[in-house]
Amino acid sequence: MGVFSKKNKIALDLQAISTLISEGAVLEGNLNAPAFTRVDGHVIGDVTIDEGLILGETGVITGKVNTKEMVVYGTVNGNLNVHSLEIKSTGKINGDIKTHTLAVESGAVYNGNLLMGKDH
């Protein structure tokens, strides 16, 4: 399945989404959600998701991101603080990353500093 898969755990891509920012939508302000969230639109502000975040190919986040698990197909312009991060081939990140685990597909773009360890 995915880098986040464990025997009894469902991959982030297969989780039920509780919050959706659809393609074409623009949210100006901070986004806070308790469960799994997908962003296909543009968020201008900081994003804090308790469980996990999928940033679709058309999704753009301009601000800091704080979540447990994240899969990036789109673009992030800001710093990330996540437990598990997967950057897909279409993903672009411009900012610093603090994470415990990282998977990067060929073709992904990342510009910034990377800090990895169990404390992040």
Side-chain angles (χ1 to χ4, degrees):
M1 283 223 253
V3 69
F4 306 116
S5 300
K6 293 182 180 171
K7 287 184 181 177
N8 295 326
K9 190 172 181 189
I10 299 172
L12 181 58
D13 285 350
L14 301 176
Q15 289 286 353
I17 302 298
S18 65
T19 304
L20 173 65
I21 307 298
S22 63
E23 184 175 352
V26 177
L27 173 64
E28 293 187 36
N30 296 336
L31 172 62
N32 298 295
F36 294 95
T37 300
R38 181 177 178 105
V39 174
D40 290 316
H42 192 167
V43 176
I44 303 167
D46 295 342
V47 177
T48 302
I49 311 297
D50 292 346
E51 293 299 323
L53 173 63
I54 299 171
L55 182 62
E57 285 189 40
T58 59
V60 178
I61 295 174
T62 304
K64 294 182 276 185
V65 177
N66 187 8
T67 188
K68 284 184 187 173
E69 301 177 31
M70 184 171 184
V71 178
V72 177
Y73 293 93
T75 303
V76 177
N77 296 307
N79 297 338
L80 280 72
N81 186 358
V82 299
H83 185 268
S84 299
L85 177 64
E86 186 173 352
I87 309 171
K88 298 295 190 174
S89 62
T90 57
K92 297 175 184 68
I93 297 176
N94 298 302
D96 296 342
I97 296 174
K98 291 181 183 177
T99 187
H100 179 70
T101 61
L102 174 66
V104 181
E105 285 187 353
S106 179
V109 176
Y110 167 61
N111 297 301
N113 295 312
L114 174 63
L115 182 60
M116 291 183 69
K118 291 185 179 184
D119 296 336
H120 304 290

